[in-house]
Amino acid sequence: MTRSMKPWLLLPSLLLITACQSMRKAPTREAGAPDATPSPHGPVIQTPEPTMAPIETPANQAAPTETAPVAVNLKKPRLSIVLGAGGLRAYAHAGLIQELVKAKIPIFAIAGLETGAIPAALFAMKGQPFEPEWQMMKLKDDDWLQKGLLSGPSPKKAGDFSGSLSLMYGGAKAEDAKIPFVCPSYSSGKKQTFMMNRGPFAQMLLYCLPSLPLFEDQQGSGANPVALAQVVQTLKQKGTQLVVYIDLLADNPLPLNESGMMWGVYQSALQADFSKVNEVVKVSGLGGFRDFGRRREMLQKGQEAGRRLVQVLQTKYGF
């Protein structure tokens, strides 16, 4: 049976672009402001440390003035990595992390957008370079996608992935991680973005992962795959001096299928914030966003990109 556009993806481009802009431009609550009312983000716990407090972004306030990244003149600055969105292409992130650790590049903090949050959290948990590959390679294709007898893969509910997350993370909590971690989650009801950095990984990630066509949302909340500027702001508040973004949407053009249309809109929104980071590493040739059979090849592509990044960090920033 030929694959066709799914009804739930046949949204007008204008609506999708508007949604992306709403998710990107939401301003951040200033540190020290009163806590918000309880949200659907069950695992979020307000932290007393204002530099990493979950960030709420009311849509009806004016966006704060953003400043361009300051040139880093220090030797071996505090480096943070943001692993970009891209469905199953996130396997490439596991390979890139391995190369950074192999070259003894210290990672001060790490963040993940959408499925990029999975390898980011796995590395943050123990600081072990092969943990993301080891755990993600345990997953089967039906852990990611629900298959129908007469139709192609369809999105699973985020809660259906909870068993897989529990196997990967156990009871580990983000606040106990070896490396500081954050992932952005967007509440469609509140029209707010939350920076998730507290609570058990297996529960917290349910609110950072859901993004069509892989998962349906979790209680009205899901990934904010275009929250790059907000993530960078959070990392810099923590003390980061150098931010590198790993771009899994670098193919030009993106695959012409139902998911390619969506990712193309996301990439357009993300590119507007590339100026907020110091370096963008583009990983191309990764195949489809649901191409589970190419996960080993994706891992290798990530390793190649990691070696290129190591050269940049060594020659340009003194690592």
Side-chain angles (χ1 to χ4, degrees), residues 63 111 136 150 163 166-167 200 202 216 242 255 304 319:
M136 292 175 68
L150 300 177
S166 295
L167 289 175
E216 294 179 6
L242 175 66
E304 294 171 4
F319 283 93

Side-chain angles (χ1 to χ4, degrees), residues 246-261:
I246 311 304
D247 179 14
L248 301 185
L249 306 178
D251 295 304
N252 188 17
L254 289 167
L256 294 177
N257 53 34
E258 64 267 26
S259 58
M261 177 184 70

Side-chain angles (χ1 to χ4, degrees), residues 79-84 89-105 107 110-111 119 123 129-130 132-133 244-248 280-284 286 297-310 313:
L79 168 68
S80 287
I81 306 294
V82 181
L83 306 183
R89 292 181 172 192
Y91 280 91
H93 290 314
L96 182 137
I97 290 171
Q98 291 171 9
E99 294 300 318
L100 292 180
V101 177
K102 179 181 176 181
K104 299 182 179 180
I105 304 291
I107 299 176
I110 193 165
F123 177 66
F130 288 94
E133 177 188 0
V244 175
Y245 176 66
I246 311 304
D247 179 14
L248 301 185
V280 176
V281 177
K282 298 181 180 296
V283 189
S284 59
L286 295 173
E297 183 180 346
M298 294 175 185
L299 181 80
Q300 293 172 357
K301 293 287 186 181
Q303 291 170 336
E304 294 171 4
R307 289 191 285 271
R308 296 196 304 269
L309 175 57
V310 166
L313 293 173

Side-chain angles (χ1 to χ4, degrees), residues 39-47 52-56 110-113 117 120-121 124 173-175 177 179-187 192-210 218 221-224 227 230-231 234-235:
S39 76
H41 296 65
V44 176
I45 301 175
Q46 291 286 352
T47 169
M52 285 296 284
I55 294 178
E56 301 174 6
I110 193 165
L113 306 180
K173 296 182 179 181
E175 57 265 40
I179 296 170
F181 164 85
V182 67
C183 61
S185 175
Y186 181 75
S187 170
Q192 295 174 342
T193 292
F194 296 80
M195 292 290 120
M196 309 292 278
N197 65 336
R198 288 290 186 269
F201 280 118
Q203 297 177 27
M204 181 182 67
L205 289 174
L206 290 175
Y207 298 89
C208 289
L209 293 179
Q218 173 77 353
S221 298
N224 187 339
Q230 292 165 274
V231 168
T234 302
L235 293 172

Side-chain angles (χ1 to χ4, degrees), residues 22-23 35-36 45 73-75 93 100 103 122 134 136 159 163 165 170-171 176 183 205 208 218 236 251:
S22 174
M23 295 164 74
D35 295 344
I45 301 175
N73 297 318
L74 300 176
K75 186 176 182 180
H93 290 314
L100 292 180
L122 286 169
W134 183 56
M136 292 175 68
L165 293 176
D176 299 328
C183 61
L205 289 174
C208 289
Q218 173 77 353
K236 288 190 174 183
D251 295 304

Side-chain angles (χ1 to χ4, degrees), residues 1 13 45 84 90 115 136 166 186 197 232 240 263 274 290 318:
M1 182 176 179
S13 298
I45 301 175
T115 51
M136 292 175 68
S166 295
Y186 181 75
N197 65 336
V232 171
T240 293
W263 292 115
F274 281 179
R290 296 186 247 173

